[in-house]
């Protein structure tokens, strides 16, 4: 019999996104755990989309660390920021505490510097304590 893996329920961190969502041309934002779970999302982002973003951003962050480590010829690498440009807009992602990432999606005309700055301010203001996500709890099956 297969029993689903359990993950410890964490506090909804959507509230941390409010200042970022007030920036001109910012459409969505999310707090994402390193293992691909959504910890908080902007109100207009559908749950299914948020979960997809979380899973893909987790994979992208892992790939970014691996590529950086390979280029730097180091065993480990720390990402400071990941930026994706598309015709639809920009995706910005930064580490936000242990095992957590803050991601923002903005329209093509956004001022990148303002968004990146405000993301850093929000993470620094909240501190790592508020932004840390516990690692997946595989605990015992129910």
């Amino acid at each position: 019999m297969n029993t689903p893996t359990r993950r410890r329920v964490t506090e909804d961190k959507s509230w941390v996104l409010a200042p970022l969502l007030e920036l001109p041309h910012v459409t969505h934002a999310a707090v994402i755990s390193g293992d691909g779970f959504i910890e908080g999302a902007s109100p207009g982002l559908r749950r299914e989309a948020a979960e997809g973003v979380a899973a893909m951003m987790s994979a992208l962050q892992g790939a970014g660390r691996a590529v950086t480590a390979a280029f730097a010829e180091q065993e480990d690498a720390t990402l400071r920021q990941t930026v994706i440009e598309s015709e639809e807009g920009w995706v910005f992602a930064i580490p936000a505490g242990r095992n957590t990432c803050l991601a923002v999606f903005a329209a093509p005309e956004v001022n990148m510097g303002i968004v990146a700055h405000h993301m850093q301010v929000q993470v620094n203001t909240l501190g790592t304590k508020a932004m840390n996500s516990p690692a997946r709890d595989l605990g015992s099956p129910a």
Side-chain angles (χ1 to χ4, degrees):
M1 173 168 115
N2 281 340
T3 305
T5 301
R6 291 181 167 210
R7 182 173 190 273
R8 184 171 39 190
V9 175
T10 59
E11 173 190 353
D12 181 358
K13 296 178 181 161
S14 298
W15 60 272
V16 306
L17 305 172
L20 299 171
L21 294 169
E22 293 174 1
L23 296 174
H25 308 294
V26 169
T27 307
H28 293 296
V31 179
I32 301 163
S33 71
D35 50 0
F37 290 93
I38 194 75
E39 304 264 327
S42 51
L45 188 60
R46 292 179 301 106
R47 182 73 187 179
E48 299 80 25
E51 289 172 353
V53 165
M56 290 180 275
M57 188 55 67
S58 176
L60 183 61
Q61 294 287 296
R65 283 189 297 275
V67 167
T68 302
F71 270 130
E73 296 182 6
Q74 294 180 350
E75 192 172 310
D76 221 359
T78 302
L79 294 183
R80 290 189 184 163
Q81 178 175 299
T82 303
V83 179
I84 301 169
E85 179 184 12
S86 70
E87 288 185 14
E88 288 73 25
W90 295 88
V91 176
F92 304 90
I94 63 169
R98 192 179 78 244
N99 197 38
T100 306
C101 165
L102 182 61
V104 168
F105 178 71
E109 59 272 13
V110 74
N111 182 320
M112 295 172 55
I114 288 176
V115 172
H117 171 75
H118 281 275
M119 289 175 75
Q120 288 293 339
V121 166
Q122 190 66 352
V123 168
N124 290 336
T125 299
L126 295 170
T128 57
K129 185 176 180 183
M131 296 299 287
N132 285 343
S133 294
R136 189 181 327 197
D137 180 6
L138 298 178
S140 58

